[in-house]
Amino acid sequence: MEENSSLVDNMVKHKHVHIPTPPPLPCPATSVCDRKIMAMAMALVRAQDRKGQTSTSVNSGTKDMWERLFDEAYRADVVVHTDNGGKIYGHSSVLGMTSPVMRQMMKQSKRKGRRRSISIRGVPHDAVRVFIRFLYSSCYDAAEMEEFILHLLILSHVYVVPHLKKECEKQLENGLLNIENAMDVFQLALLCDAPRLSLICHRMILNNFKAISATEGWKVMKEAHPILEREILATVAQADARQKDFERKRNERKAYVQLYDAMEALVHICRDGCKTIGPRDKAPKEDEAPCAYSACKGLELLLRHFAACKLRASGGSCAQCKRMGQLLELHSRLCADSDACRVPLCRNFKERSRKPNKKEEMRWKILAKKILRSKSISGAPFFSLTTTT
């Protein structure tokens, strides 16, 4: 030993090796600035710890060690009794740290020899084994999770294991929830205080009510929880009513958009002309590109019939002429300048609207406003709300 120390001293003296200067020893912060920096750093570390943002590095060897500790039950001091006489051995320190309910159960249990005894009844033995195994390594087999997920959701809630409960909810949301088990999962979500999962199940029930109401889970729920059945049926009726109201409003808006397009096409035909029809002072443009107005062709046929209808000329009632007359009157309600308008009968209908008839006038005003609002624009330069206010 003395020879080795003298050898090192000689090497340092003769500079055969380079020994780096050691870092300075940690010393307390003296200045106010240093103390503030250290306080801020410690506060940041504590905040990250609370939020779970600290980085971890758990390799497979560590997980395997916890798996072996559970499988081999090395120095196990707890026996978990399950249905049909099953036994699962565990460690009180592990079970107590991961589940506060189990910790209290072990405190109240009597020691038999060197082991304490607790019981978990009402679920299959294999499900309890998967549950206890998860408490050790936070690992599970995918096939076992799929088979016992409902039991694991119950166990995680009863024994207060939030990370397992969160994993069960995640697996159900990502594919294990289906038509057959939706009703069972919905009831468990309500009992186990899982609001997000219950909302997802409720939406699935509303969207697939006919299929879910034919499952075995629905029949069991109907017999065991008639109040819950009535509540679900009420929400289904409300959802149907909302859907019908939505479809009605969508169809109304579609009709208003079509009427607006017809008004634009009518101005286009009477002002600019289109294909084989147009104002008298302009020649038809048969070689023109296809018309951009979708309602132009239908209006062209209506206008030709309106101009040449013999039944209307003789004082009879023609459905097509009546429809054309309604379109012309609607245009007059929307027209911004009737004096300069080229649409037939626009000024006549405008003067007719000034005669007092409050009920009919109100209907036309409401229709005109809805038509203009369906496009979310003012309608200028052809149309305006000024004449409908």
Side-chain angles (χ1 to χ4, degrees):
M1 190 68 178
E2 294 180 356
E3 293 179 358
N4 293 337
S5 61
S6 61
L7 179 61
V8 172
D9 293 339
N10 292 332
M11 292 175 69
V12 172
K13 289 179 182 179
H14 292 87
K15 299 182 180 180
H16 289 166
V17 294
H18 175 69
I19 299 178
T21 305
L25 295 175
C27 57
T30 55
S31 65
V32 178
C33 184
D34 292 339
R35 287 197 296 270
K36 286 184 178 180
I37 292 174
M38 292 185 66
M40 291 173 62
M42 293 302 296
L44 180 61
V45 171
R46 286 194 296 270
Q48 290 178 345
D49 290 339
R50 284 195 301 269
K51 295 180 180 179
Q53 294 178 351
T54 52
S55 59
T56 58
S57 177
V58 180
N59 56 28
S60 59
T62 305
K63 294 181 180 180
D64 293 341
M65 180 192 69
W66 286 105
E67 292 279 352
R68 288 179 55 199
L69 182 65
F70 169 67
D71 292 335
E72 298 177 5
Y74 177 70
R75 292 194 175 184
D77 57 352
V78 178
V79 180
V80 181
H81 295 276
T82 62
D83 288 347
N84 300 324
K87 293 182 180 180
I88 300 173
Y89 295 93
H91 303 81
S92 58
S93 56
V94 177
L95 302 182
M97 287 299 296
T98 52
S99 172
V101 177
M102 282 191 173
R103 184 189 312 168
Q104 192 64 25
M105 290 173 62
M106 288 183 290
K107 285 182 180 179
Q108 297 175 357
S109 66
K110 295 182 180 180
R111 186 184 293 272
K112 295 181 180 179
R114 64 185 183 88
R115 292 195 176 104
R116 295 184 179 275
S117 178
I118 61 175
S119 298
I120 299 180
R121 308 286 186 179
V123 292
H125 172 82
D126 292 339
V128 179
R129 184 172 182 83
V130 175
F131 171 68
I132 301 294
R133 175 192 176 193
F134 188 89
L135 299 183
Y136 276 79
S137 62
S138 296
C139 296
Y140 58 86
D141 184 76
E144 292 177 338
M145 172 62 77
E146 183 176 358
E147 182 179 359
F148 301 114
I149 188 163
L150 299 184
H151 302 96
L152 294 175
L153 179 62
I154 297 173
L155 291 171
S156 65
H157 176 72
V158 171
Y159 293 98
V160 191
V161 186
H163 55 296
L164 175 57
K165 184 177 179 180
K166 185 176 181 181
E167 185 64 26
C168 291
E169 293 178 11
K170 178 182 176 183
Q171 293 299 323
L172 285 168
E173 293 173 12
N174 292 339
L176 295 185
L177 180 65
N178 52 51
I179 299 294
E180 293 297 326
N181 65 6
M183 202 63 244
D184 297 330
V185 175
F186 180 58
Q187 296 178 79
L188 288 179
L190 294 176
L191 294 173
C192 297
D193 190 22
R196 175 182 168 85
L197 182 59
S198 64
L199 178 61
I200 294 174
C201 294
H202 188 253
R203 287 179 178 174
M204 176 175 281
I205 292 171
L206 294 181
N207 296 332
N208 306 274
F209 178 73
K210 187 175 181 180
I212 291 178
S213 60
T215 60
E216 189 66 27
W218 176 269
K219 296 177 183 177
V220 174
M221 181 276 301
K222 185 177 180 179
E223 296 178 359
H225 305 287
I227 297 178
L228 179 60
E229 181 201 8
R230 287 197 295 269
E231 292 178 352
I232 294 175
L233 292 176
T235 58
V236 170
Q238 293 173 2
D240 290 341
R242 286 195 301 269
Q243 182 65 25
K244 290 179 181 178
D245 186 59
F246 172 77
E247 291 178 356
R248 178 182 61 81
K249 290 181 178 180
R250 183 178 61 182
N251 293 333
E252 285 182 358
R253 174 165 160 61
K254 185 178 179 180
Y256 294 144
V257 170
Q258 290 175 348
L259 284 174
Y260 186 93
D261 293 340
M263 294 298 101
E264 282 190 331
L266 184 60
V267 173
H268 161 66
I269 290 174
C270 297
R271 188 193 64 174
D272 304 323
C274 180
K275 294 287 186 178
T276 61
I277 191 170
R280 294 181 179 179
D281 56 347
K282 290 189 177 182
K285 304 176 182 179
E286 297 184 8
D287 57 343
E288 198 179 47
C291 184
Y293 295 94
S294 58
C296 193
K297 186 175 181 180
L299 274 175
E300 179 182 345
L301 297 176
L302 271 178
L303 281 170
R304 289 185 180 279
H305 172 82
F306 185 78
C309 181
K310 296 180 179 180
L311 182 61
R312 180 180 62 84
S314 61
S317 177
C318 176
Q320 290 181 329
C321 292
K322 184 178 180 180
R323 187 184 307 169
M324 190 68 231
Q326 291 173 343
L327 290 176
L328 292 173
E329 185 169 1
L330 177 60
H331 164 80
S332 69
R333 303 283 177 165
L334 297 172
C335 186
D337 187 3
S338 296
D339 295 332
C341 184
R342 305 291 298 273
V343 177
L345 304 178
C346 181
R347 187 182 303 177
N348 295 346
F349 281 116
K350 184 73 72 175
E351 293 176 356
R352 176 183 165 186
S353 66
R354 292 170 185 169
K355 296 180 181 181
N357 189 342
K358 294 184 179 180
K359 186 178 291 186
E360 184 179 357
E361 187 68 19
M362 184 59 66
R363 286 200 298 264
W364 281 108
K365 284 183 178 181
I366 294 173
L367 177 60
K369 287 182 179 180
K370 288 184 176 180
I371 289 174
L372 292 182
R373 289 172 181 170
S374 68
K375 283 287 188 177
S376 301
I377 58 176
S378 64
F382 307 134
F383 311 128
S384 174
L385 276 173
T386 57
T387 59
T388 62
T389 54

